[in-house]
Amino acid sequence: MRVTSALFLSVVSATSIPSNVHSRAEGIPLSEFGTFAAITPEEAKSGADLLDTDFSTLERRATQGLPLSSFGTVHSVTLEEAQAGVDLIGTNFTLLPISGNPLKPLVTGLLDEISSILPRDTGDCANPNIRFEWDDYSASDKQAYVDAIQCLHNKPASGQWSPSQNRWEDIVRIHQSYAPNIHSKSTTQQTHKFLLWHRYYVWAFEQILRDECGFNRAMPWWDEKKWAGKFAQSTLFTDQYFGIMSGPTNNAGTCVTTGKFAGWQLSLGPGYTVNNPHCLQRAVNEDITAQTGQSSYDTCMARTSYPDFHSCVEFSFHAQGHNGVGATMADAIASPGDPTFFMHHLYVDYVFRKWQINDISRRTTISGCADNVNCSPLTLDTMVYMGNLCGAKCPDLKVRDLLNTLQGHMCYRYNY
């Protein structure tokens, strides 16, 4: 795109006009008018109008990836470190108080044993929405889902989350704004609201898709452990849907140029930056995505207390899923800019719910740190803030309202 401008070499104001101008009959001297800045046709052909400014850099910002170092990484531990409990060093979470009324193991075991024989009143919602794994989703459903996401990117911003540039960036902006309070600072400065906040965030995203873009299908989730070490080969990253997964280009992110989100421009991130136009970009590293597999899943599922499970999830396969996709996704602050974020966190929530199903007390009790500075106790009455992201459907809620996906504010489960 050519950029041109006209500059006045002299400016004539009302106060600078001589007092006798209006009374004289002859014309005003040409020198008082000045001239527009100009070049000859010969100078234009030689590019004289481009001296001092390389306007091509304006376009390159939109078509070239940013250095990978600008995105940073999500705090992580290796599978071996998770198995060794490295993420538990510094705080003995088992000493923190448990909020709620956990059933005794004997009673819990008995209830689980007879549940297949006698129905029991659990207070669960009657007709939960079912979230289907991506490969169990029809082609029509897949297309409707990515179309609804594109719809949000095309819609104007609400104005509530300035300086977002569109409705999609409203969703990115709340994550960017709340990031200091919803992520652990390190393995020794943790907040265990992470899983609960993101559960609510993904649910809010679903409501926005439905209410504002007419999405009327079941919600998908992505079983990414079966694609560990081969994300780029998954049925998610195709020309029709999320776009081909690319590696880095010259140690920078690679702009997404295929799929429904090809050519997307973002203005938020990396980190806390705003008004920073750049392309949606990825830089897959399959050595890192390999850390998201069955072994990581099994390691976290084996943990018995909520904070221990939470710590394992946040720092192992959750972190490695972000870092493995790379670039926009590796930015812990503004990573929702990539729609892959929600498929990844739908998987994280799937694992969370599976862990809760294994013990009924995990749906009625909580413990851990409510903040990542002083580790104040996380209780059933701890507030989780969503800032009315999806309007009246998204009030700030207590942990007790989010702990069970079949009770309280939400009503959904996964297809397996």
Side-chain angles (χ1 to χ4, degrees):
M1 178 180 69
R2 292 295 304 275
V3 180
T4 59
S5 63
L7 302 176
F8 283 106
L9 295 182
S10 65
V11 179
V12 181
S13 67
T15 57
S16 66
I17 299 176
S19 59
N20 65 340
V21 165
H22 300 291
S23 61
R24 64 192 183 191
E26 70 276 10
I28 300 173
L30 294 179
S31 60
E32 294 188 21
F33 290 102
T35 61
F36 283 90
I39 58 175
T40 67
E42 293 71 25
E43 289 173 325
K45 291 177 181 178
S46 67
D49 53 320
L50 301 180
L51 293 179
D52 299 325
T53 301
D54 182 3
F55 295 112
S56 65
T57 60
L58 299 177
E59 294 185 5
R60 283 205 299 270
R61 292 183 67 188
T63 59
Q64 290 187 2
L66 301 174
L68 295 182
S69 58
S70 65
F71 294 101
T73 60
V74 179
H75 291 303
S76 65
V77 297
T78 66
L79 171 60
E80 293 73 23
E81 289 171 330
Q83 291 172 338
V86 169
D87 54 313
L88 304 181
I89 291 178
T91 303
N92 184 354
F93 298 120
T94 61
L95 298 179
L96 297 174
I98 296 176
S99 175
N101 297 303
L103 297 174
K104 294 181 180 180
L106 179 61
V107 176
T108 302
L110 179 61
L111 286 174
D112 289 341
E113 183 177 345
I114 67 174
S115 62
S116 61
I117 303 173
L118 296 175
R120 68 176 185 268
D121 182 11
T122 62
D124 290 352
C125 54
N127 297 300
N129 291 323
I130 311 299
R131 292 179 174 177
F132 286 88
E133 206 281 318
W134 182 256
D135 287 334
D136 296 329
Y137 219 36
S138 71
S140 173
D141 289 340
K142 292 175 180 176
Q143 194 62 56
Y145 180 67
V146 295
D147 286 348
I149 293 175
Q150 182 65 57
C151 163
L152 290 179
H153 193 264
N154 294 339
K155 289 177 68 71
S158 67
Q160 181 182 0
W161 300 100
S162 178
S164 65
Q165 299 299 305
N166 50 58
R167 186 60 171 139
W168 177 258
E169 288 201 333
D170 282 350
I171 299 169
V172 180
R173 180 59 176 160
I174 188 174
H175 188 277
Q176 187 184 46
S177 300
Y178 286 13
N181 300 314
I182 59 177
H183 298 109
S184 298
K185 290 183 177 180
S186 67
T187 57
T188 55
Q189 287 184 291
Q190 300 184 20
T191 173
H192 301 110
K193 287 191 299 186
F194 165 80
L195 284 178
L196 294 159
W197 190 90
H198 284 82
R199 167 175 282 181
Y200 194 11
Y201 182 52
V202 171
W203 184 87
F205 166 64
E206 178 184 354
Q207 308 317 303
I208 295 171
L209 286 178
R210 297 191 185 285
D211 295 344
E212 300 182 30
C213 285
F215 182 63
N216 60 0
R217 315 298 178 93
M219 196 69 173
W221 66 280
W222 183 44
D223 189 359
E224 69 183 30
K225 67 179 181 295
K226 69 183 181 183
W227 297 104
K230 52 181 181 180
F231 273 24
Q233 300 175 40
S234 80
T235 54
L236 193 70
F237 296 107
T238 67
D239 284 328
Q240 188 172 1
Y241 304 123
F242 282 71
I244 298 299
M245 181 78 82
S246 301
T249 302
N250 298 323
N251 204 36
T254 301
C255 295
V256 175
T257 58
T258 66
K260 191 66 180 183
F261 317 121
W264 263 30
Q265 293 295 300
L266 307 173
S267 71
L268 303 177
Y272 296 102
T273 58
V274 298
N275 300 318
N276 181 35
H278 61 283
C279 66
L280 166 61
Q281 51 206 272
R282 299 177 183 139
V284 68
N285 183 326
E286 300 290 23
D287 289 338
I288 297 177
T289 70
Q291 295 279 322
T292 67
Q294 188 70 42
S295 295
S296 293
Y297 173 87
D298 291 341
T299 297
C300 294
M301 290 292 283
R303 296 198 173 172
T304 56
S305 76
Y306 171 75
D308 289 356
F309 167 78
H310 183 291
S311 176
C312 181
V313 170
E314 182 176 7
F315 294 113
S316 65
F317 66 81
H318 159 258
Q320 305 300 16
H322 277 277
N323 295 334
V325 174
T328 300
M329 270 287 281
D331 174 14
I333 312 305
S335 51
D338 187 341
T340 305
F341 173 97
F342 289 97
M343 298 306 292
H344 176 56
H345 272 275
L346 281 156
Y347 172 67
V348 170
D349 186 62
Y350 161 80
V351 179
F352 181 18
R353 176 168 161 78
K354 290 286 285 187
W355 182 81
Q356 290 181 300
I357 289 173
N358 287 345
D359 186 333
I360 195 171
S361 68
R362 296 172 183 173
R363 287 164 272 167
T364 59
T365 62
I366 201 72
S367 64
C369 302
D371 67 86
N372 55 23
V373 178
N374 301 312
C375 190
S376 57
L378 180 67
T379 74
L380 292 178
D381 292 319
T382 299
M383 295 301 298
V384 177
Y385 301 99
M386 197 51 58
N388 296 311
L389 180 64
C390 59
K393 288 185 176 180
C394 287
D396 298 331
L397 295 175
K398 294 181 178 180
V399 167
R400 67 175 71 251
D401 299 314
L402 302 169
L403 203 52
N404 187 346
T405 69
L406 294 176
Q407 291 181 359
H409 196 68
M410 300 175 290
C411 182
Y412 72 86
R413 64 177 181 85
Y414 294 86
N415 63 324
Y416 61 79

